Amino acid sequence: MRALPQLYIDFDGTISATDTTDLILERFALPEWHDVEAAWERGEMGSRECMARQVALLRATPAAMAEMVQQIAVDPGFMGFVELCRQWNLPFTILSDGLDVVARGVLQRLGVDAPVLSNRMEPVGEDEWRLTFPYSSAGCATAAGNCKCACMEAGQRRTGGLTILIGDGRSDFCGAGSADQVFAKGKLAAHCRDHAIPHQPFTGFADLTALFHDWLVRNASPAAAAAE
């Protein structure tokens, strides 16, 4: 019997309707965060340094942050995709180079129980924050806070199952190169086309759910298929 596939889903711009880190910075950060963003876009620093410096510029109480998280919109088709995974007894992991406070808060609001591998926000004093990186890697090619390819490779070694990545952006590039199956939109889809990485394009969870169902029928383990 084959092992269950290991399913990894990006959060920002994939589950959420937009980049939630930018929303929070626009709402709560000192104006200098724009200068840090510009330096990152010029290639002067990796995403890990960029996000650490930007989070240090936030000025929001934990209560204000939690209230903001409750307002974050998600892809309207996401819960249909979650139901498909439940029917097939297929767990998934949220793999994000964003903020764990956001991903965990949104999933809790939706009633979705899934592991979150993400950068960790910690309150410092009354209204300041710091960011730590429990899933970083010294050898990360993009100096990301969360090295997605390292997380996926560790999961594959642990279980032996096929690895599936669903994502949309730059933080998913390295993971796409090591995944057995990629479902991609946005910048990730363009990256896969440009680098001849096999992938299945999608526009949102409404069309992805049907595509993923077909993939499961062809590739899932007998145990998962029996649960369908």
Side-chain angles (χ1 to χ4, degrees):
M1 183 179 296
R2 286 176 289 171
L4 281 173
Q6 301 299 299
L7 174 56
Y8 299 94
I9 309 176
D10 172 60
F11 184 80
D12 286 288
T14 302
I15 294 174
S16 67
T18 188
D19 187 299
T20 62
T21 302
D22 284 350
L23 287 177
I24 287 172
L25 290 169
E26 290 282 3
R27 175 77 173 272
F28 295 122
L30 300 175
E32 290 84 354
W33 81 266
H34 291 287
D35 299 329
V36 178
E37 187 82 3
W40 172 69
E41 290 176 348
R42 292 192 298 268
E44 297 173 9
M45 66 182 76
S47 67
R48 182 170 59 219
E49 179 182 355
C50 174
M51 292 188 66
R53 291 174 60 179
Q54 288 177 326
V55 165
L57 294 168
L58 290 172
R59 297 296 181 268
T61 64
M65 187 68 68
E67 181 180 358
M68 175 73 179
V69 168
Q70 293 306 306
Q71 301 169 16
I72 289 172
V74 301
D75 184 308
F78 176 61
M79 291 307 295
F81 182 86
V82 171
E83 181 56 31
L84 173 65
C85 291
R86 288 172 176 164
Q87 290 171 1
W88 281 72
N89 195 29
L90 179 62
F92 57 84
T93 297
I94 306 304
L95 192 57
S96 171
D97 197 27
L99 309 174
D100 69 332
V101 167
V102 178
R104 294 181 195 281
V106 169
L107 292 178
Q108 183 177 33
R109 187 185 84 204
L110 297 174
V112 175
D113 183 15
V116 175
L117 307 184
S118 186
N119 306 314
R120 185 171 298 157
M121 271 184 70
E122 300 174 346
V124 180
E126 182 179 346
D127 65 351
E128 297 185 29
W129 300 80
R130 67 181 175 189
L131 198 61
T132 61
F133 304 98
Y135 304 104
S136 64
S137 170
C140 182
T142 58
N146 185 355
C147 186
K148 295 189 176 184
C149 49
C151 289
M152 292 169 60
E153 289 165 3
Q156 203 283 331
R157 289 193 301 270
R158 194 166 56 246
T159 68
L162 296 174
T163 56
I164 309 162
L165 175 66
I166 297 171
D168 82 308
R170 190 184 306 185
S171 69
D172 301 303
F173 288 2
C174 72
S178 62
D180 295 299
Q181 175 66 43
V182 179
F183 294 89
K185 68 172 186 172
K187 292 180 180 179
L188 178 59
H191 172 80
C192 289
R193 289 194 300 268
D194 292 345
H195 293 81
I197 297 173
H199 67 288
Q200 176 66 63
F202 73 99
T203 58
F205 278 99
D207 63 307
L208 174 62
T209 299
L211 293 170
F212 191 59
H213 178 271
D214 292 345
W215 186 92
L216 286 169
V217 169
R218 295 192 305 270
N219 297 281
S221 71
E228 194 264 342

